[in-house]
Amino acid sequence: MNSFALTVTCASTRGIVAAIAAFLADHGCNITDSSQFDDMETGRFFMRVSFASEEAATLDSLQTGFAEIGARFGMEYAFHDEAERMKVIIMVSRFGHCLNDLLYRWRIGALPIDIVAVISNHMDYQKVVVNHDIPFHCIPVTKANKPDAEGRIMEVVEQTGAELIVLARYMQVLSDAMCQKMSGRIINIHHSFLPSFKGANPYKQAYQRGVKLIGATSHYVTADLDEGPIIEQDIVRVTHAQSPSDYVSLGRDVESQVLARAIHAHIHRRVFLNGNKTVVFPASPGSYASERMG
C-alpha cells in the first residue's frame, strides 16, 4: 500500500475534519495518524493526516478529487507521497559538528532525505563530504563578491532541484533577497541562552554571567537575523564548576540534536507557518525508525 500525507491550512469552521475523513474513506484510504490545531487568536485551522491507500489511489487522483473540498473551505492543501525523499542542500563553514551529525543520521536512514549537495565557504570538509559520494561546492564569500557568491549558491539550488537549505553552522548572513526567495525553505541553528547573549564569544559571556541553562534554537531564516519562526529548541544544564570550553562542548551536542529534530519535522510536513510562529505536530509512529544501526 502507498502511504501519503495531507496537509491543510484554512479558516477554522465546522465540518472540515468530517469532509476530509469522508473523502479519504470514499477513495479507499485508511487514516493511520492525524493531528489538528485551531488557533483561537487568528481563527486559523491546521491539520496533518497520514493515510494508506488500500485501493491504489494515486497522488494525482487524490489532488484532483480533493479540489472541490479545498475550494469549499478555502484551503491551502497538498498531498505528499511519504516514500519520496526531500532534496536538501547543507551549508557549513568551519564548525563541523552539525554537518557530521546530519551525515551520520542520513547514512543510517534516521533522516530520510536526499542530500544533493554540500556548500561551504571553506575547504575544511571537502574530503568528508566527497567520501560520502555527495557533491561538494566551495563558494568563498567576501564583502566584495557576496552577490556573486549567492548567485552561485542559487544556481546549485536550481540545478539540483533542492527543496530545503540547511545552515549547519554556516557563518555568513544571507541577503534579504535570498531569504525572501527561499522563504520557509531555509533552516538555521544557533545557540540560545537564558539570558540571551549576542556577538562574539557567546559561551564565554554565558560563563561570565554564571548561567545555569544553555541551549539551541532552530528556526526558519528570514530577513530579520535569527528572528525567524522557531521550529525546535532544547536546553542543557550547566554548573558553576564547568568551564567555557565545557559550555562549547555541551552546546555542540544540543545544537546537533535540535537541528536534526527541526529537519525531521520539516521533511515530514509537520511544520506549519502561523504568522511569526509555527505549528509543529508530533511525529507519526515509526517515523524516527532507522533503516540500519550504523
Side-chain angles (χ1 to χ4, degrees):
M1 293 185 293
N2 293 328
S3 295
F4 300 100
L6 168 64
T7 55
V8 171
T9 305
C10 62
S12 180
T13 188
R14 67 173 181 255
I16 300 171
V17 176
I20 292 172
F23 170 84
L24 293 175
D26 290 344
H27 285 74
C29 299
N30 181 41
I31 294 174
T32 55
D33 185 56
S34 180
S35 298
Q36 67 187 71
F37 174 67
D38 280 272
D39 189 331
M40 297 301 180
E41 292 185 1
T42 64
R44 300 296 291 170
F45 173 84
F46 305 87
M47 189 172 188
R48 182 192 183 279
V49 183
S50 291
F51 60 94
S53 169
E54 297 178 343
E55 297 180 9
T58 65
L59 206 60
D60 288 341
S61 67
L62 292 168
Q63 191 83 19
T64 301
F66 196 74
E68 186 276 326
I69 295 174
R72 188 198 321 163
F73 290 99
M75 294 175 175
E76 296 176 25
Y77 69 91
F79 287 87
H80 310 277
D81 185 341
E82 294 196 316
E84 290 186 4
R85 298 192 173 205
M86 189 174 291
K87 295 180 178 179
V88 177
I89 287 176
I90 299 175
M91 297 177 64
V92 64
S93 290
R94 283 189 156 149
F95 297 101
H97 51 285
C98 288
L99 170 66
N100 283 296
D101 180 77
L102 294 177
L103 290 174
Y104 175 73
R105 293 174 191 267
W106 163 77
R107 189 170 66 245
I108 67 170
L111 269 183
I113 58 178
D114 283 340
I115 303 176
V116 293
V118 171
I119 298 174
S120 180
N121 52 333
H122 300 283
M123 289 293 292
D124 300 48
Y125 299 103
Q126 186 257 358
K127 186 175 180 179
V128 171
V129 173
V130 171
N131 284 346
H132 282 80
D133 294 323
I134 298 170
F136 178 85
H137 303 266
C138 183
I139 303 178
V141 181
T142 66
K143 289 183 179 180
N145 80 339
K146 189 164 187 174
D148 292 337
E150 281 200 353
R152 291 176 61 192
I153 292 169
M154 289 308 301
E155 285 179 5
V156 177
V157 173
E158 291 162 7
Q159 290 168 3
T160 59
E163 303 160 85
L164 177 68
I165 294 176
V166 174
L167 305 184
R169 294 305 303 270
Y170 180 70
M171 310 305 288
Q172 292 289 327
V173 177
L174 303 182
S175 69
D176 291 358
M178 184 171 176
C179 291
Q180 291 171 7
K181 187 170 184 178
M182 296 293 294
S183 178
R185 294 189 292 156
I186 306 177
I187 293 177
N188 191 24
I189 184 69
H190 66 86
H191 56 78
S192 175
F193 297 106
L194 303 174
S196 176
F197 300 101
K198 298 181 179 180
N201 298 315
Y203 287 104
K204 184 177 180 181
Q205 294 179 55
Y207 172 77
Q208 291 172 340
R209 285 289 299 275
V211 303
K212 300 299 183 269
L213 296 172
I214 61 174
T217 296
S218 188
H219 61 93
Y220 288 116
V221 174
T222 65
D224 295 322
L225 183 63
D226 291 339
E227 296 184 14
I230 293 170
I231 306 169
E232 181 62 62
Q233 293 179 297
D234 207 347
I235 58 169
V236 61
R237 298 196 67 86
V238 292
T239 75
H240 62 277
Q242 290 166 322
S243 69
S245 296
D246 291 328
Y247 282 29
V248 172
S249 295
L250 292 167
R252 282 197 296 259
D253 289 342
V254 73
E255 286 171 13
S256 298
Q257 294 171 38
V258 167
L259 180 58
R261 292 204 296 262
I263 296 168
H264 188 276
H266 180 90
I267 65 173
H268 285 95
R269 322 286 181 174
R270 295 193 282 114
V271 187
F272 295 74
L273 288 172
N274 186 23
N276 293 323
K277 301 187 293 183
T278 59
V279 172
V280 184
F281 287 129
S284 296
S287 64
Y288 280 112
S290 301
E291 295 173 352
R292 49 191 178 278
M293 293 300 294

